Amino acid sequence: MGLAQEASRVAAEFEYSDAQVNKAVKEFIRQMDEGLEKSGTTMSQIPTYVTAVPNGTEKGLYMAVDLGGTNFRVCSINLNGDSTFSLTQSKVAIPKELMVAQTSKELFSFLAKQIATFLQTHHGEHYHATIRRRATIHSESGFEEREIFNLGFTFSFPVQQVGINKGTLIRWTKGFDIADAVGKDVCKLLQDEIDALHLPVRVAALVNDTVGTLMARSYTSPGKTGTLLGAIFGTGTNGAYVEKLDKVKKLNGSENSDNVDRTTGEMIINTEWGSFDNELRVLPNTPYDNSLDKETPNPGIQMFEKRISGMFLGEILRLAIVDLVKERKTGLFSDDNSSSNDVHSTTCLAENSPLWQPWGLDTSFLSIAHGDNSNGFKVTRQTLDKDYGVHAASAEDAEAVKLIAAAIGKRAARLSAVAIAAVVLATDKLSSPQDIATADDTPVNEDEMVDIGVDGSLVEFYPGFEEYIREALRQIEGVGKHGEKRIRIGIAKDGSGVGAALIALVADKLAKQAQLKEYGEE
Ligand code: BGC
């Protein structure tokens, strides 16, 4: 077989048919329901204790920090109360060794130091004034209430939440692995290190990035309708949505049910859909998916995420490429001038090419290859040469790589559509009588829109990601062409900043209400 056919054969392994998509949606809804009923299920369906989405009129100055991927971000956010906000932020890459540190203290003290630096740089006056006052007043209780920044802590890992600013880590994902943090309250871990530096900051809310995205989108989105779902398609993937409280059966009778504010009858649920179908009942599975899973610190877990998100897609492609290079008859990256039997010298892949190393291929390469319409795929060939030590790739090589990259990206988008459709269908957002009666080409009016906020490198940078999602949505039973048009997907940038600030605001309000109630009862 020639290279083009070989590449098509590999690409075909990543096809995920309409029938498979529909089957997966049904299984997704089943696992969502199961997760609402009891604990310990594959999809965790974590109650967040956040019971309302904002409407854009919220005001105030809040802080937010974000840990959950490659960078640690610290921000302060001024909510203007008119759907707008201003944000100041600083960002540092998380040192790789801290992601797998011996103790959680190493990581959390690093985070607290970043918060101190941020305060000194951007809120120096407030910071120095409070530190000075603290030194002279010697108040037992520390800072006065008005001097303290309420901080929303975006912590984007699965956490068993027991209150708005309390929750224990269930497991690490995305390459983090610090054993002694599992089972601990991550808000306390951070607050302890903040207190050790005497910073005027209170960790007021614990926030998953998807919940932040949902809040941020709701604050800024057009129209009166609140947002249904916040979803991340970035280094990892996950979604949080607005659920009816009475469907969250596992809350009834639980020791934390007193912490629930029941006024809206709703609660945001963090699905942790990255672990949807760890059993592989309906998920596609190729030899490359299998090899990748074995290389991770959490084999058998986050199986949905491992087929969708940015941390993994590059590695799937790398494994496919290396397979083709090793099967020399395919001719991928072959060095025509060599007659040796050793694979390293018959290929134009340098011996020290990152492509020989696990995790050596960045997912951004998929976007580059997939989007490359240059003459002779020059852009892809240049990137291969410059970043990956492939010095004489031909146009045919680049085309083969593009074909496989596109297939992997398309499968990821179709899987993303499964999650989106399942949430929309499970919450009955499309089953209005006019839906059944309306023709596919009937225009949709503003009030009928189902709003979804998304963030993450894939939705932002992968060419055509949303269109692939939409193509799949149109084929899903119960969504169809008309339903797909009603689903409005909008990028919600800064979910982990402004979203976390909004939750810190809600938490602050709830704490004040509780205090008033207590005084009233005394
Ligand atoms: C984590 C989620 C997070 C998602 C996106 C996943 O690995 O388990 O908590 O929301 O990544 O960052």
Side-chain angles (χ1 to χ4, degrees):
M1 257 202 256
L3 177 54
Q5 282 133 315
E6 279 293 338
S8 305
R9 175 186 61 77
V10 176
E13 292 188 62
F14 292 99
E15 267 164 31
Y16 196 50
S17 70
D18 292 344
Q20 285 170 303
V21 166
N22 273 289
K23 198 167 162 212
V25 172
K26 294 202 175 80
E27 176 62 12
F28 201 109
I29 296 176
R30 191 193 70 73
Q31 292 195 19
M32 280 175 74
D33 285 342
E34 186 183 60
L36 292 175
E37 272 170 33
K38 53 183 185 216
S39 311
T41 50
T42 331
M43 218 157 37
S44 301
Q45 295 283 70
I46 301 167
T48 61
Y49 298 83
V50 180
T51 51
V53 293
N55 60 15
T57 59
E58 294 74 8
K59 274 187 182 167
L61 178 64
Y62 291 87
M63 276 192 82
V65 294
D66 174 16
L67 177 77
T70 333
N71 298 307
F72 179 63
R73 278 205 319 156
V74 186
C75 356
S76 58
I77 301 100
N78 212 345
L79 301 167
N80 300 328
D82 57 359
S83 287
T84 68
F85 61 90
S86 52
L87 182 144
T88 311
Q89 69 157 331
S90 71
K91 195 160 96 174
V92 282
I94 303 160
K96 285 258 179 322
E97 61 279 10
L98 285 185
M99 296 181 176
V100 291
Q102 287 301 309
T103 63
S104 49
K105 192 176 171 56
E106 290 168 59
L107 175 67
F108 284 86
S109 65
F110 168 83
L111 305 185
K113 278 184 207 130
Q114 305 305 317
I115 298 175
T117 313
F118 177 85
L119 284 175
Q120 284 158 14
T121 317
H122 298 289
H123 298 275
E125 226 168 89
H126 181 105
Y127 172 77
H128 292 295
T130 46
I131 295 284
R132 256 198 319 275
R133 258 200 302 282
R134 175 117 211 242
T136 51
I137 296 175
H138 286 300
S139 139
E140 275 296 306
S141 56
F143 299 103
E144 279 180 41
E145 187 64 23
R146 66 188 164 81
E147 295 170 342
I148 294 182
F149 275 111
N150 280 305
L151 174 142
F153 179 19
T154 302
F155 181 78
S156 305
F157 300 94
V159 164
Q160 196 56 55
Q161 231 168 314
V162 290
I164 204 154
N165 69 346
K166 208 170 181 190
T168 52
L169 176 63
I170 302 173
R171 61 177 179 273
W172 289 107
T173 58
K174 298 175 283 197
F176 279 70
D177 194 10
I178 307 169
D180 85 337
V182 176
K184 296 226 175 93
D185 175 7
V186 292
C187 282
K188 183 164 183 324
L189 291 178
L190 181 61
Q191 187 72 61
D192 286 350
E193 297 305 323
I194 287 175
D195 292 347
L197 298 179
H198 307 295
L199 305 178
V201 174
R202 175 178 44 230
V203 183
L206 177 60
V207 185
N208 186 268
D209 51 356
T210 54
V211 183
T213 301
L214 175 54
M215 300 296 269
R217 173 73 187 169
S218 238
Y219 184 76
T220 53
S221 78
K224 286 189 281 304
T225 32
T227 301
L228 170 69
L229 167 68
I232 302 279
F233 301 102
T235 309
T237 183
N238 188 16
Y241 72 104
V242 184
E243 183 57 282
K244 293 207 172 65
L245 249 184
D246 56 13
K247 274 187 80 184
V248 196
K249 300 217 177 74
K250 64 184 173 187
L251 269 180
N252 299 340
S254 87
E255 51 185 306
N256 306 313
S257 63
D258 286 354
N259 297 349
V260 178
D261 159 37
R262 297 186 181 271
T263 44
T264 61
E266 292 177 336
M267 186 182 278
I268 296 175
I269 300 293
N270 167 13
T271 64
E272 284 298 334
W273 71 37
S275 260
F276 163 60
D277 198 29
N278 284 341
E279 306 81 3
L280 301 185
R281 288 197 187 106
V282 293
L283 285 181
N285 200 23
T286 68
Y288 317 107
D289 294 304
N290 263 322
S291 311
L292 172 136
D293 186 42
K294 294 204 184 89
E295 287 169 11
T296 59
N298 56 353
I301 315 268
Q302 300 289 105
M303 299 304 253
F304 191 55
E305 176 165 271
K306 285 173 184 166
R307 284 151 178 76
I308 293 184
S309 75
M311 170 131 197
F312 306 100
L313 298 188
E315 180 63 3
I316 298 180
L317 176 60
R318 189 196 70 84
L319 287 162
I321 291 177
V322 168
D323 241 33
L324 285 180
V325 170
K326 284 189 176 156
E327 268 177 56
R328 263 163 298 152
K329 57 183 190 315
T330 68
L332 181 67
F333 298 147
S334 69
D335 178 353
D336 299 337
N337 302 320
S338 169
S339 56
S340 158
N341 279 330
D342 171 20
V343 64
H344 286 292
S345 49
T346 53
T347 163
C348 58
L349 211 70
E351 204 156 333
N352 63 357
S353 161
L355 292 186
W356 293 120
Q357 299 302 323
W359 310 103
L361 182 63
D362 198 86
T363 296
S364 58
F365 177 77
L366 270 80
S367 304
I368 296 172
H370 191 163
D372 186 5
N373 296 318
S374 62
N375 209 347
F377 308 102
K378 209 168 104 208
V379 178
T380 303
R381 279 155 64 204
Q382 273 167 354
T383 313
L384 282 168
D385 185 33
K386 204 163 60 54
D387 299 341
Y388 295 103
V390 188
H391 297 312
S394 63
E396 290 70 36
D397 288 332
E399 189 172 15
V401 168
K402 173 176 171 164
L403 193 71
I404 300 170
I408 295 171
K410 182 169 180 184
R411 187 185 72 165
R414 292 174 71 78
L415 286 166
S416 307
V418 167
I420 293 175
V423 171
V424 171
L425 294 172
T427 48
D428 255 352
K429 290 292 177 224
L430 290 178
S431 57
S432 61
Q434 79 260 35
D435 258 323
I436 298 155
T438 23
D440 289 343
D441 52 1
T442 316
V444 180
N445 70 46
E446 180 78 13
D447 304 339
E448 288 181 312
M449 283 294 183
V450 181
D451 196 59
I452 293 178
V454 291
D455 196 5
S457 42
L458 283 172
V459 273
E460 229 188 317
F461 305 119
Y462 197 95
F465 200 77
E466 183 178 334
E467 194 33 54
Y468 282 136
I469 291 182
R470 292 196 170 277
E471 191 182 290
L473 285 175
R474 289 192 282 273
Q475 303 306 323
I476 292 173
E477 259 168 66
V479 180
K481 284 194 189 142
H482 188 69
E484 179 269 310
K485 276 200 269 173
R486 285 183 57 193
I487 299 176
R488 178 172 61 207
I489 301 179
I491 291 268
K493 287 288 325 143
D494 284 321
S496 51
V498 70
L502 284 159
I503 299 172
L505 176 145
V506 173
D508 192 29
K509 258 198 214 157
L510 286 175
K512 287 192 179 125
Q513 272 167 15
Q515 251 172 17
L516 279 179
K517 212 166 131 205
E518 215 172 278
Y519 292 145
E521 278 165 8
E522 265 171 18

